[in-house]
Amino acid sequence: MNHLIHFNFSRLVSVIKRDLVENWKTNLYRILTCYIIFSLIFIFMMYGMNHSSEGYFYERFCGNVTGIVYIGLNIYMYYFASLILEPMRTKEKRISYLMLPATLGEKFVSRALYVTIGTLIIFGCGLLLAELTRLLFVPILGVTEEFNRFCLTDVWHRIISENQEPTFYGEPVYSYTLMAMFITVLLTWSHSLYILGGSFFRKKAFIKTMGVCFLLMILFGNFFVQIFEGTEPEFIEWLRDWADGNQTQAVNTFLGIGFGLFFALTILNWGLSYKLFATSQITERKLFRR
């Protein structure tokens, strides 16, 4: 069994292929679910604008699509992150998964790839099919010709153009690169919370993790309020004066600190998730199992 000690890429590919073959119906249903939801949303949104001939309404449509896709993607990613231990839910599935000739690391990486890259592919396929379906309904609904454009491309260009480096009287407000890194690591950290929750809770992991996150948010919010109220007024005044005199530096400093903090927390969450995944191979936790 020494060959099952070290990580092997070939075995990882075999585990991924096995998951894809055994769960192809589930993945197909998930693509269809995403497709049907977004198709209905896009068509009904477009139907509400079929009495106008102004180009403004197409721009508003793209803006609405941007918000809906962003919210939908986050919910979709969080939900699938909580399914990282989906093959271990029942006793039968657990035994079958334990029998796979692969290391714990290979199995965990396979599940991690599924709930990240795999989820993005499923979401992207459903979204693309929904956009193609919307285009088929353009002549039926009688909307303006601008709605014949591929909306997802315009949405992407809209996101790029609206996220240029901000300036105030010609001076940069903050580093765009730092801001992009901070937002990315913040979203990655949020996703890792559901990875951790999915590795701990056996059933209804998404709902339980969301409840724990809301509870912790309230507790930490109250904690920071208490710290702020207990801080010396002179220190707060000095900090405010320094920020007013060095706005760009202050914002970049806070972004850098935030990036480092959330990056470390993300690594910690993934490390704890793997630890829970490894222990779940041996024993079944009774705490919060139901």
Side-chain angles (χ1 to χ4, degrees):
M1 295 296 290
N2 290 332
H3 65 285
L4 291 180
I5 297 177
H6 303 290
F7 189 92
N8 184 277
F9 184 76
S10 298
R11 287 198 302 267
L12 172 62
V13 173
S14 298
V15 174
I16 295 175
K17 287 182 178 179
R18 179 256 187 191
D19 288 341
L20 292 176
V21 171
E22 291 192 358
N23 301 304
W24 70 270
K25 286 186 179 180
T26 301
N27 295 329
L28 180 60
Y29 291 151
R30 287 169 176 170
I31 292 175
L32 289 176
T33 300
C34 184
Y35 159 67
I36 292 172
I37 292 174
F38 278 106
S39 293
L40 293 175
I41 292 175
F42 290 171
I43 292 171
F44 278 110
M45 283 174 50
M46 193 169 58
Y47 175 76
M49 301 178 183
N50 65 349
H51 299 296
S52 174
S53 59
E54 299 180 21
Y56 160 76
F57 286 92
Y58 177 74
E59 293 298 324
R60 193 176 72 177
F61 175 79
C62 289
N64 294 339
V65 169
T66 303
I68 290 173
V69 169
Y70 176 78
I71 296 173
L73 178 60
N74 278 278
I75 295 176
Y76 214 67
M77 292 293 293
Y78 293 160
Y79 174 73
F80 275 91
S82 67
L83 298 180
I84 189 168
L85 283 190
E86 189 177 23
M88 309 285 290
R89 278 186 171 179
T90 64
K91 183 178 180 180
E92 293 75 14
K93 287 184 176 182
R94 191 157 48 252
I95 293 174
S96 176
Y97 210 65
L98 285 170
M99 294 297 292
L100 290 178
T103 64
L104 295 176
E106 291 158 1
K107 296 174 185 177
F108 184 76
V109 170
S110 173
R111 292 303 304 165
L113 290 175
Y114 177 78
V115 299
T116 52
I117 298 176
T119 303
L120 287 173
I121 293 175
I122 291 174
F123 184 87
C125 290
L127 188 63
L128 178 61
L129 292 174
E131 172 64 4
L132 295 176
T133 302
R134 181 194 69 82
L135 293 175
L136 294 177
F137 275 80
V138 170
I140 299 175
L141 296 178
V143 292
T144 59
E145 292 184 359
E146 288 181 318
F147 282 89
N148 281 310
R149 296 168 60 178
F150 195 73
C151 175
L152 296 181
T153 303
D154 293 333
V155 167
W156 177 252
H157 290 160
R158 181 190 184 98
I159 295 174
I160 296 298
S161 62
E162 289 182 356
N163 286 277
Q164 303 298 325
E165 188 154 5
T167 58
F168 185 74
Y169 289 107
E171 295 293 329
V173 179
Y174 53 77
S175 170
Y176 175 74
T177 302
L178 267 179
M179 177 58 77
M181 291 171 59
F182 174 75
I183 294 176
T184 301
V185 77
L186 185 62
L187 293 175
T188 305
W189 169 74
S190 301
H191 182 264
S192 69
L193 289 176
Y194 287 84
I195 292 288
L196 181 59
S199 300
F200 182 77
F201 297 113
R202 290 291 187 194
K203 300 177 181 178
K204 300 179 181 178
F206 178 70
I207 297 175
K208 292 177 181 179
T209 304
M210 184 182 297
V212 172
C213 288
F214 275 117
L215 179 61
L216 291 177
M217 191 165 54
I218 294 173
L219 293 176
F220 277 105
N222 183 65
F223 174 72
F224 285 116
V225 168
Q226 295 296 329
I227 291 180
F228 182 78
E229 291 179 348
T231 305
E232 293 294 333
E234 292 80 6
F235 176 76
I236 296 177
E237 189 67 27
W238 174 83
L239 187 62
R240 183 184 301 133
D241 293 339
W242 176 77
D244 290 339
N246 305 272
Q247 291 184 0
T248 303
Q249 182 183 355
V251 175
N252 288 338
T253 300
F254 288 129
L255 289 176
I257 294 174
F259 172 81
L261 175 63
F262 286 110
F263 183 76
L265 290 175
T266 301
I267 295 178
L268 177 63
N269 288 342
W270 276 97
L272 291 174
S273 299
Y274 175 72
K275 191 70 175 179
L276 290 170
F277 179 83
T279 56
S280 69
Q281 304 281 323
I282 303 171
T283 60
E284 182 178 3
R285 294 180 301 277
K286 295 183 179 181
L287 183 62
F288 301 124
R289 184 179 58 183
R290 299 187 181 278

